[in-house]
Amino acid sequence: MTRLNICAVLLALVAAAGPVYGQAVQPPPDNGAPAMPAAKDAPATADTPTEKRPTSRERREAQKAYLAGAKALEHEDYKTAEEAFEDAVALNPTNQEYLAAREIARQHQVTALIQAADKARLLGHTDEAVADLRQAFVLDPKNAMVSQHMDEISGIAAEPDLTRAEDVKAGPPIDLAPMQIRRTFHLHTSANDMLRQVLTAYGISPTFDTSVKAQTVRLDIEDADYKQATEAAKLLTKTFFVPLDPKRVLVAEDNRENRTKYQRLAVETVYFPGLTPNEVTEMSNVARNVFEAQQVTVSAGNGTMTVRAPSDKLAALNSTLAEMLDGRSEIQLDLRLYSIAKTRALNIGLQLPQQVTLFNVQSELNSIISANPGLVQQIISSGLASAGDYAAIAAILVGSGAVSGSILSQGFAVFGGGLTLTGVTAGPATANLALNSSETRILDTVTMRVLDQEESTIRSGTRYPIITSSYSALAGSTLAIPGLSSAGVSSALNGLGIGGSELASSNSVIPQVQYQDLGLTLKVKPMIQKNRDVSLNLDLKITSLAGSSLNNIPVLDNQQYTAITTLKVGESALMVSNLSRQQSKAVTGVPGLSDLPGFQSTTNNQTENDFSELVIVITPRIVREAHKQEAGQMRLIPLHP
């Protein structure tokens, strides 16, 4: 192989490897002829000691070592390449190409050791990282990148690490600190070179993993900041960055294996105050299904969720949970309840006698005289009345009070004469003019706050006990349990105040009682619409006793009203319900006569009206409006292989 071909191979290897850390390496000069002046012996100067010129055999051996080093450099075996170039320099120290090749191989080896140390530190292999840094320091103590790690090398102590596990504290994720500038890129080069130019333009030093594919890419972007430029570069090269410190990143191919190996995971505990265990579980489902956070631990009882995921996904998760935990809107409901009860009783009219009695006057006189013979003889003997004047004698007996309870003792009319003299008596006639009216109003005001789309219940009334079933022992049976009602531990039971009579009682009744809510039950579920109108889902139920029973179980009377109404804020909804309405009318008069025109005044009308109403007025007001916008902020979820 000619000297020109050797230099071309070396140039290709240097261009593929890119610039090395620590110093700028100039490629070997481009020679146009087989014989190169640089390959000849360099003349000795006043500052350079005179060296022995190599023989022809040494030049041939040096050229062979140089070719072996070039092949090793092509296969990225930097240590072997450096040793081969070192042999070439030892055989022919006057050849500047050998010196440059040795320096290039050494710098590549230093760069590879620094990158290996960064990877080892990222994977937690501290001892391996320190060993690589020590070897790089031995190879080139003046390298700038090695100087940045001098604190790590000098921080190694001979004594063992006495740090206790409880003293170790987890640090926050590493945040890159790129320069806040905007750059324009028009690049058509290899992937490594493009990534290096983009990152160094913002003050970030890259370390490349061997998984980054060698490919030619084109990047054209203008006036871009760090985030825009690096996102475009990562999409073009299918890579991702792992921060090593605020100014350095590890660049690796974006695949699941590399993500698992290099990407740091952050752990965060999220607190959910005021959420139920079911709601906390739903939050964990969001973290798993939407943000693909596979390592999620939920403590529903404590209201916490621990998530282990990359920091970029945690940032997106936190932003989403912040909007979800902002809470729901809150509504104040002002309720006014009116219970109106009215009773009106009216009694107007003339009530004529309902019964007329006809009797024979002569028969009644004979009956009174025959019933009181002694008094009759006294009246005749005293000369108060003659013996044949029966009417006078009867009048004296009734007037003196000696006879009571006779029909002749009350007023009556007579008609006829002689033996057919007939008396007529009628009941009393009554004129009624009465009015009885009463009105009762009960006002109750309730103010309550409820969450949007949360149902609230208002109850007003009593809880009425209803016996649904009962258990009693059969008559005449006794409870005979050995050791309880008979010999055994009966003495111990008696000492506790429990005798055999209680155990053997057959009259015990055990009821089962169910309590029923009587009165008003109002359920309200508000919903805030997009235009800030409030929809109310109303469910009104009124339960009362019907006044009858079935198998000694009272029958309930239920009234229910369900509706959905939409109101503007501050408007009121009115609900009116008739709880009871009774009307009764009684007519007292003479059949036939009271129906004739002009004789209706002789009819007595008694009317009674009894009714009660319930009026409910609901006024919604928005106290807190959580989400005024139609949708939250759009966030890009990081997609990882």
Side-chain angles (χ1 to χ4, degrees):
M1 181 181 292
T2 62
R3 187 183 303 275
L4 179 61
N5 294 335
I6 295 173
C7 294
V9 171
L10 185 59
L11 280 171
L13 294 175
V14 173
V20 296
Y21 294 101
Q23 66 181 20
V25 180
Q26 299 293 337
D30 188 7
N31 299 304
M36 298 178 60
K40 296 183 179 180
D41 297 338
T45 62
D47 298 332
T48 304
T50 304
E51 296 181 0
K52 179 182 177 182
R53 292 181 178 274
T55 62
S56 299
R57 180 177 176 276
E58 289 176 341
R59 290 194 184 95
R60 289 194 299 270
E61 294 294 334
Q63 188 174 11
K64 291 181 181 179
Y66 177 77
L67 293 176
K71 292 181 180 179
L73 188 64
E74 182 180 2
H75 292 88
E76 298 182 357
D77 188 358
Y78 304 124
K79 184 176 181 180
T80 303
E82 183 190 2
E83 293 175 354
F85 292 145
E86 184 69 31
D87 294 340
V89 171
L91 292 172
N92 189 1
T94 60
N95 193 318
Q96 298 298 324
E97 292 182 6
Y98 299 163
L99 294 173
R102 182 186 64 181
E103 187 63 25
I104 290 173
R106 180 176 298 172
Q107 294 302 325
H108 276 294
Q109 187 176 358
V110 170
T111 302
L113 290 172
I114 294 175
Q115 293 181 353
D118 290 336
K119 295 177 185 178
R121 189 188 305 107
L122 188 63
L123 297 175
H125 304 157
T126 306
D127 296 339
E128 184 179 347
V130 171
D132 292 337
L133 290 176
R134 279 179 172 175
Q135 187 176 355
F137 181 76
V138 172
L139 291 175
D140 190 0
K142 297 181 179 181
N143 190 291
M145 293 300 297
V146 176
S147 299
Q148 295 181 6
H149 296 80
M150 286 300 296
D151 54 344
E152 301 178 13
I153 298 176
S154 60
I156 301 174
E159 61 273 7
D161 188 7
L162 300 179
T163 304
R164 296 177 301 175
E166 56 269 20
D167 296 334
V168 178
K169 297 182 179 179
I174 298 176
D175 295 328
L176 288 176
M179 293 186 294
Q180 301 300 323
I181 57 177
R182 306 184 77 87
R183 296 290 191 186
T184 298
F185 300 97
H186 297 285
L187 304 176
H188 185 203
T189 181
S190 63
N192 289 21
D193 187 54
M194 186 268 290
L195 291 170
R196 183 179 293 106
Q197 292 189 44
V198 171
L199 291 171
T200 54
Y202 297 97
I204 303 298
S205 300
T207 298
F208 292 95
D209 185 68
T210 55
S211 61
V212 179
K213 296 180 180 179
Q215 55 180 330
T216 302
V217 295
R218 178 185 295 273
L219 175 64
D220 293 296
I221 189 170
E222 296 183 356
D223 194 26
D225 56 12
Y226 171 79
K227 184 177 181 181
Q228 295 171 342
T230 53
E231 288 295 333
K234 288 189 286 186
L235 290 175
L236 288 174
T237 58
K238 296 182 180 180
T239 56
F240 72 101
F241 302 158
V242 180
L244 302 176
D245 56 45
K247 290 295 182 181
R248 294 186 303 127
V249 296
L250 172 67
V251 182
E253 183 183 1
D254 196 357
N255 53 45
R256 185 177 296 275
E257 181 181 357
N258 286 342
R259 288 277 184 180
T260 305
K261 183 189 299 183
Y262 297 127
Q263 192 173 41
R264 290 186 175 94
L265 298 180
V267 179
E268 187 173 34
T269 300
V270 185
Y271 299 92
F272 300 107
L275 296 188
T276 63
N278 293 335
E279 292 173 340
V280 174
T281 304
E282 291 298 327
M283 290 294 184
S284 66
N285 293 334
V286 171
R288 290 190 182 96
N289 301 331
V290 178
F291 295 91
E292 299 179 352
Q294 299 299 329
Q295 300 182 17
V296 179
T297 303
V298 178
S299 178
N302 298 327
T304 60
M305 177 180 69
T306 303
V307 185
R308 187 168 183 259
S311 58
D312 51 357
K313 285 192 174 183
L314 280 182
L317 175 62
N318 285 334
S319 301
T320 303
L321 293 180
E323 294 185 359
M324 298 177 65
L325 294 176
D326 194 21
R328 288 179 288 176
S329 301
E330 190 173 354
I331 302 172
Q332 176 178 315
L333 297 178
D334 297 332
L335 286 87
R336 287 172 291 175
L337 288 80
Y338 301 89
S339 178
I340 303 173
K342 291 184 179 181
T343 301
R344 182 181 178 88
L346 184 64
N347 189 1
I348 300 176
L350 178 63
Q351 186 172 357
L352 297 177
Q354 304 294 316
Q355 185 178 5
V356 177
T357 303
L358 298 177
F359 61 93
N360 186 270
V361 177
Q362 189 66 35
S363 297
E364 287 295 329
L365 291 175
N366 293 333
S367 176
I368 292 175
I369 292 173
S370 61
N372 300 283
L375 295 176
V376 172
Q377 291 296 329
Q378 292 179 7
I379 292 173
I380 295 174
S381 62
S382 61
L384 295 177
S386 60
D389 193 358
Y390 295 144
I393 296 173
I396 293 172
L397 291 175
V398 172
S400 63
V403 176
S404 62
S406 175
I407 195 172
L408 297 178
S409 60
Q410 56 184 340
F412 60 91
V414 297
F415 63 89
L419 295 177
T420 60
L421 182 64
T422 302
V424 179
T425 182
T430 306
N432 297 318
L433 184 60
L435 173 63
N436 185 8
S437 178
S438 63
E439 181 176 346
T440 304
R441 295 186 179 183
I442 300 176
L443 174 63
D444 191 6
T445 302
V446 179
T447 301
M448 59 188 308
R449 289 189 177 185
V450 296
L451 294 177
D452 184 24
Q453 300 184 17
E454 189 77 15
E455 186 179 72
S456 60
T457 303
I458 301 174
R459 287 190 175 93
S460 177
T462 59
R463 291 178 60 84
Y464 186 80
I466 299 176
I467 299 178
T468 58
S469 62
S470 61
Y471 168 79
S472 61
L474 297 176
S477 63
T478 58
L479 183 63
I481 301 177
L484 293 179
S485 58
S486 60
V489 296
S490 298
S491 59
L493 294 176
N494 290 329
L496 296 176
I498 303 176
S501 60
E502 288 82 358
L503 296 174
S505 176
S506 60
N507 297 324
S508 60
V509 178
I510 303 174
Q512 292 185 358
V513 179
Q514 177 181 351
Y515 286 88
Q516 178 66 38
D517 292 327
L518 299 181
L520 170 68
T521 301
L522 177 62
K523 296 181 180 180
V524 184
K525 183 178 181 181
M527 293 171 287
I528 299 179
Q529 305 296 331
K530 177 182 176 182
N531 57 355
R532 299 186 80 250
D533 290 349
V534 180
S535 294
L536 298 178
N537 191 344
L538 304 174
D539 186 0
L540 174 64
K541 185 178 181 181
I542 301 174
T543 305
S544 61
L545 296 175
S548 58
S549 61
L550 181 63
N551 293 331
N552 294 327
I553 298 177
V555 179
L556 302 179
D557 184 12
N558 294 326
Q559 301 178 27
Q560 189 168 5
Y561 168 79
T562 303
I564 298 177
T565 182
T566 302
L567 304 172
K568 293 186 177 298
V569 176
E571 290 185 350
S572 300
L574 177 65
M575 292 186 298
V576 180
S577 175
N578 292 325
L579 299 181
S580 64
R581 179 178 292 271
Q582 294 180 357
Q583 183 176 6
S584 61
K585 184 176 182 181
V587 178
T588 304
V590 180
L593 180 61
S594 298
D595 296 333
L596 296 177
F599 291 92
Q600 293 181 356
S601 59
T602 61
T603 302
N604 185 72
N605 294 323
Q606 185 175 359
T607 305
E608 183 175 355
N609 295 323
D610 187 2
F611 66 92
S612 60
E613 294 180 346
L614 176 65
V615 179
I616 301 176
V617 180
I618 302 179
T619 305
R621 306 181 191 277
I622 298 179
V623 178
R624 177 177 179 270
E625 192 171 3
H627 302 284
K628 297 182 180 180
Q629 67 277 9
E630 296 181 3
Q633 183 180 358
M634 182 179 296
R635 307 186 186 279
L636 296 179
I637 300 178
L639 297 179
H640 298 162

